Amino acid sequence: MRIVVAHNRYREAQPSGENTIVDAEITQLRAAGVEVLPFLRSSDEIPSLPKTAKALLPISPIYAPRAQQELSRLITEHRPDVLHLHNPYPLLSPWVVRTAHKHNVPVVQTVHNYRQVCSSGLYFRDGVICQDCRGKALGVPAIVHRCYRGSRAQSALMATTLAVHRGTWHSVDRFIALTSAVGDHLRDYGVPAERIVVKPNGIPDPGTPAPLGDGFLYMARLSPEKGLGLLLDAWRRHPDGSLGPLRIAGDGELRHLAEAAAAERADVTYLGPLDRAGVRAAIDASAVIIAASTWHDVLPTVIIEALASGRPVLGTALGGIPYLVGADAPREPAGTGPAAVATAAPGVGRVALPHGVKEGETGWVVAPDPAAMAAALPVARAGAAALAAPARLRYERTFHPDVVTKRLIDVYASLAR
């Protein structure tokens, strides 16, 4: 099987989980015997482009002529079975879908964000969830609020691109939704359910999990949408030391909040940005991983890392987080009274939970609210040991590279000529 993988890489100065996932997926496909033809461009190329190419940059999200010519040559020479598209902006353009179809090559796209509808791709603006452009033929609110790169002109261009290419996106043969929430987003956009496959990313197996550590780990970009402020507000509602340690890892504009919390309380430690060895050590030292996002986070990789290491997760009930921890399906309620719901981990007796705390296969989800998060923290600490083994099992069944690569190849095979 011969597959073109098309992706516009984000700038290297802007760390991108999407770049990492694309690279890993290419490696995994080749290891499985698939012939991969990378069709990759990078935004780092832009400063060195010829003057004529730079002059066309403003329209490249709509139509990138050079990319279409090069893709046509690649398809004509190698006759691939499928084109697999990730990010098309700005140097590829969604027009690559039309180019592939002109050559009778089916197209798969992995949906990493919400940019079919939202110019920023996040459904998040000014510190809160925003879906003002849903259902609109042209995303005027994105233009008014300068949602794309803080520029009204660039926001107008992106909003126009999304309007022009609505039909292009609807022609994609198969969408890969990383979680059930992304599947819901695509159905709301008008994509038929039979053209959507839920297939998450995978990460390499770190091996047999270390014994459960103590306390909590928050590891994320320290920016408003990742919920550090929410977590610290919830943490301060408990006496110093009553929950065990809270370790905070990462860097970003809210670093000062992490540093202030570590100076204020003995049970908070700020670890700063970590390399891979530091990430491994921080996960091993902890019992529960926290994902406190206040936006519809598509697929926070830290959760998959937690599950692979046999660590349950406490997260907000937004975006892909409920899917990742196995809490997106309704569970049978038990217990009494509206102030509690009951859940049961595999092999564990039912326990009453505070109102608003929902238990999944491998963790707990709550509303993005400090009171709800505060109520869930002691529950997670007490229940971590019971969900450690199910967390590792969910990784092995759902997020292991062998599993996700096989599912991806099955998608290709269903479309190949």
Side-chain angles (χ1 to χ4, degrees):
M1 188 177 295
R2 186 174 294 153
I3 306 298
V4 174
V5 174
H7 176 56
N8 190 125
R9 299 178 68 83
Y10 297 90
R11 294 182 185 275
E12 291 302 322
Q14 175 187 345
S16 164
E18 194 170 327
N19 286 351
T20 302
I21 289 298
V22 171
D23 292 343
E25 200 163 84
I26 289 173
T27 299
Q28 291 158 10
L29 286 168
R30 285 174 169 163
V34 175
E35 182 181 351
V36 177
L37 303 171
F39 187 68
L40 307 178
R41 299 296 179 269
S42 172
S43 293
D44 286 326
E45 300 171 18
I46 292 174
S48 60
L49 289 174
K51 287 184 179 179
T52 52
K54 284 184 179 177
L56 293 172
L57 271 176
I59 67 163
S60 63
I62 297 175
Y63 179 71
R66 182 180 175 186
Q68 310 319 310
Q69 293 163 8
E70 292 172 348
L71 179 59
S72 286
R73 285 198 295 269
L74 179 69
I75 292 174
T76 300
E77 180 180 354
H78 294 282
R79 299 192 57 79
D81 297 293
V82 175
L83 181 138
H84 185 169
L85 175 63
H86 291 269
N87 172 47
Y89 300 112
L91 298 179
L92 296 182
S93 160
W95 207 282
V96 295
V97 176
R98 302 188 188 191
T99 298
H101 283 160
K102 185 177 73 172
H103 291 274
N104 297 316
V105 175
V107 177
V108 172
Q109 195 209 6
T110 296
V111 180
H112 294 271
N113 53 46
Y114 305 107
R115 194 164 275 148
Q116 288 82 9
V117 174
C118 174
S119 290
S120 73
L122 300 178
Y123 279 156
F124 191 82
R125 175 174 58 82
D126 297 333
V128 296
I129 291 171
C130 170
Q131 297 182 337
D132 289 353
C133 292
R134 282 178 63 180
K136 290 182 168 57
L138 179 67
V140 174
I143 303 170
V144 172
H145 296 289
R146 301 179 173 90
C147 291
Y148 189 66
R149 297 182 176 177
S151 162
R152 184 163 288 167
Q154 292 194 57
S155 297
L157 174 62
M158 182 53 70
T160 301
T161 299
L162 300 185
V164 168
H165 282 298
R166 186 178 182 91
T168 306
W169 291 129
H170 279 92
S171 75
V172 168
D173 300 275
R174 196 74 80 245
F175 285 98
I176 294 177
L178 296 178
T179 69
S180 55
V182 176
D184 292 341
H185 155 73
L186 290 169
R187 281 187 289 273
D188 181 71
Y189 184 63
V191 176
E194 60 270 19
R195 286 202 271 134
I196 302 169
V197 175
V198 176
K199 184 209 72 69
N201 297 327
I203 65 166
D205 190 342
T208 303
L212 214 60
D214 185 27
F216 298 83
L217 172 64
Y218 170 92
M219 185 167 59
R221 182 175 61 253
L222 304 186
S223 53
E225 73 276 8
K226 289 293 186 177
L228 177 61
L230 163 66
L231 170 59
L232 292 177
D233 190 343
W235 193 263
R236 291 187 176 104
R237 300 182 185 212
H238 296 274
D240 198 329
S242 63
L243 295 171
L246 169 63
R247 301 171 184 89
I248 300 172
D251 204 354
E253 62 192 283
L254 299 185
R255 177 176 181 148
H256 64 283
L257 295 183
E259 293 173 334
E264 169 194 337
R265 293 179 60 122
D267 59 358
V268 178
T269 301
Y270 175 51
L271 303 175
L274 301 177
D275 59 15
R276 289 308 307 169
V279 168
R280 181 81 270 128
I283 291 175
D284 287 351
S286 304
V288 178
I289 309 302
I290 295 178
S293 296
T294 57
W295 71 293
H296 287 294
D297 211 338
V298 175
L299 191 136
T301 304
V302 65
I303 296 181
I304 305 178
E305 291 186 283
L307 302 181
S309 301
R311 268 55 181 173
V313 175
L314 170 59
T316 47
L318 293 173
I321 295 174
Y323 168 84
L324 292 173
V325 302
D328 57 338
R331 295 173 67 93
E332 188 68 27
T336 58
V341 294
T343 64
V348 180
R350 291 181 179 272
V351 294
L353 299 180
H355 180 63
V357 180
K358 180 178 181 180
E359 186 177 296
E361 293 176 36
T362 63
W364 307 264
V365 293
V366 298
D369 172 78
M373 179 67 74
L377 286 166
V379 172
R381 188 181 190 211
L387 294 187
R392 172 66 189 183
L393 184 60
R394 180 161 173 78
Y395 163 74
E396 293 173 351
R397 290 178 173 174
T398 309
F399 306 108
H400 192 282
D402 293 348
V403 175
V404 297
T405 302
K406 182 183 183 303
R407 293 193 67 193
L408 182 56
I409 292 173
D410 288 344
V411 172
Y412 295 158
S414 72
L415 297 174
R417 291 177 298 191

